[in-house]
């Protein structure tokens, strides 16, 4: 099995782990991992790394992400989405003007508390497992970066669509809850779609059914090579005869700025190189 990254179009109602299980079965391989969990109730782009490319999981996860979310005012739940138990209800008639008035205050670096119903691990246990057992724990705040919030329109009374670009680690459910709290209303996230992940828009993602059909037909266009995934990194080239040394962990002297590079020895792609203080080392080996 070749290595690479698949942008899977996750359907609502399936866990990220469930997606991995299906992909493992379709591809006939165990070496598969996702780069960033997507809520079971949510849909959209889930980056799945295969083979050697599983070493890129953290790199892909570190990319900014984009979401389309619907905020539903008048009702809040314990999970902050439509799947949870109702915790508060209020009659309201929220206007576009009200919502637009507070959105600028939620862009840039903000502090947010992750929801209890999340995959964050607390003393080795996932927060949502503790929440389901009624065990309350104190969630620590984190700083996230909301790059932009674009208002897309009203879908029905008290329901509004937003497009949100944000840093890794952002919880959209929490963001929408905090926006509503600023206005003095209860609310929950009624629709959540990840529209871009790892630099791949939803239009270029493949459904599980499409991947299965293509695999059966011997067509593996759905699998992006590791080199393609790293095209946003600058390129660094060493002599072809430096491959053995670089693979064995030895540095090469290169006059480049400190940082990460797509590293080649001659014309052969080797992986992610890390340049520091005049020396280049192979940080993430991805050669086949």
């Amino acid at each position: 099995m070749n290595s690479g990254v698949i942008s899977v179009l996750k359907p609502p109602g399936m866990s990220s782990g469930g997606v991995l299980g299906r992909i493992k079965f379709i591809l006939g391989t165990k070496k598969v991992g996702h780069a960033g969990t997507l809520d079971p109730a949510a849909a959209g782009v889930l980056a799945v790394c295969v083979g050697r490319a599983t070493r890129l999981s953290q790199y892909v996860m570190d990319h900014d992400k984009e979401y389309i979310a619907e905020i539903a005012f008048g009702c809040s739940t314990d999970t902050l989405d439509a799947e949870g138990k109702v915790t508060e209800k209020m009659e309201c008639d929220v206007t576009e003007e009200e919502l637009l008035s507070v959105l600028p205050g939620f862009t840039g670096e903000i502090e947010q508390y992750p929801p209890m119903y999340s995959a964050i691990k607390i003393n080795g246990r996932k927060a949502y497992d503790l929440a389901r057992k009624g065990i309350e724990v104190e969630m620590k705040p984190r700083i996230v970066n909301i790059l932009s919030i674009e208002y897309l329109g009203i879908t029905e009374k008290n329901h509004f669509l937003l497009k949100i670009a944000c840093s890794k680690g952002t919880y959209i459910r929490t963001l929408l809850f905090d926006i509503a709290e600023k206005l003095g209303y209860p609310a929950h996230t009624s629709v959540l779609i990840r529209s871009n992940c790892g630099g791949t828009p939803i239009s270029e993602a493949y459904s599980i059914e499409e991947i299965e059909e293509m695999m059966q037909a011997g067509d593996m266009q759905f699998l992006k090579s590791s080199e393609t995934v790293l095209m946003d990194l600058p390129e660094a080239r060493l002599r072809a005869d430096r491959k053995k040394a670089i693979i064995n962990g030895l540095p090469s002297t290169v006059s480049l700025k400190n940082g990460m590079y797509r590293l080649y020895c001659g014309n052969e792609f080797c992986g992610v190189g890390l340049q520091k203080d005049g020396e280049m080392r192979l940080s993430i080996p991805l050669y086949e």
Side-chain angles (χ1 to χ4, degrees), residues 91-157:
E91 287 292 329
C92 58
D93 188 3
V94 182
T95 66
E96 292 181 338
E97 291 71 24
E98 280 184 283
L99 178 57
L100 289 170
S101 71
V102 299
L103 292 184
F106 288 90
T107 56
E109 288 193 345
I110 64 171
E111 183 180 82
Q112 71 169 201
Y113 286 84
M116 267 301 299
Y117 284 86
S118 64
I120 288 177
K121 287 192 176 181
I122 301 170
N123 296 324
R125 301 176 68 184
K126 291 182 178 178
Y128 60 70
D129 287 333
L130 297 174
R132 287 168 183 160
K133 294 178 180 178
I135 302 172
E136 291 190 13
V137 295
E138 184 179 353
M139 303 298 285
K140 295 181 180 179
R142 59 170 63 180
I143 301 297
V144 297
N145 190 10
I146 308 301
L147 304 173
S148 64
I149 304 178
E150 180 183 349
Y151 175 70
L152 298 181
I154 184 170
T155 54
E156 58 179 288
K157 182 180 177 180

Side-chain angles (χ1 to χ4, degrees), residues 215-233:
M215 187 68 183
Q216 290 173 351
D219 179 2
M220 296 193 65
Q221 291 185 62
F222 57 81
L223 187 67
K224 285 186 177 181
S225 70
S226 300
E227 182 181 4
T228 302
V229 172
L230 297 168
M231 291 306 290
D232 60 325
L233 290 181

Side-chain angles (χ1 to χ4, degrees), residues 105-266:
F106 288 90
T107 56
E109 288 193 345
I110 64 171
E111 183 180 82
Q112 71 169 201
Y113 286 84
M116 267 301 299
Y117 284 86
S118 64
I120 288 177
K121 287 192 176 181
I122 301 170
N123 296 324
R125 301 176 68 184
K126 291 182 178 178
Y128 60 70
D129 287 333
L130 297 174
R132 287 168 183 160
K133 294 178 180 178
I135 302 172
E136 291 190 13
V137 295
E138 184 179 353
M139 303 298 285
K140 295 181 180 179
R142 59 170 63 180
I143 301 297
V144 297
N145 190 10
I146 308 301
L147 304 173
S148 64
I149 304 178
E150 180 183 349
Y151 175 70
L152 298 181
I154 184 170
T155 54
E156 58 179 288
K157 182 180 177 180
N158 292 324
H159 289 64
F160 304 89
L161 274 185
L162 302 172
K163 181 191 286 186
I164 301 154
C166 56
S167 66
K168 69 168 186 175
T170 301
Y171 282 94
I172 302 300
R173 289 174 290 148
T174 298
L175 176 65
L176 299 196
F177 178 84
D178 290 343
I179 288 171
E181 191 173 51
K182 182 73 173 179
L183 289 169
Y185 302 114
H188 66 277
T189 300
S190 47
V191 174
L192 182 59
I193 300 170
R194 185 188 280 164
S195 49
N196 194 303
C197 177
T200 301
I202 195 168
S203 59
E204 296 178 13
Y206 295 87
S207 70
I208 293 173
E209 290 74 22
E210 286 175 325
I211 293 169
E212 188 167 24
E213 289 175 5
M214 293 172 73
M215 187 68 183
Q216 290 173 351
D219 179 2
M220 296 193 65
Q221 291 185 62
F222 57 81
L223 187 67
K224 285 186 177 181
S225 70
S226 300
E227 182 181 4
T228 302
V229 172
L230 297 168
M231 291 306 290
D232 60 325
L233 290 181
E235 175 187 300
R237 288 188 181 270
L238 306 176
R239 298 193 316 269
D241 61 9
R242 291 298 299 166
K243 180 180 177 182
K244 185 175 180 180
I246 206 79
I247 286 174
N248 288 326
L250 298 177
S252 288
T253 302
V254 184
S255 298
L256 293 171
K257 293 180 180 179
N258 288 351
M260 298 170 68
Y261 291 82
R262 270 181 298 120
L263 183 60
Y264 297 83
C265 289

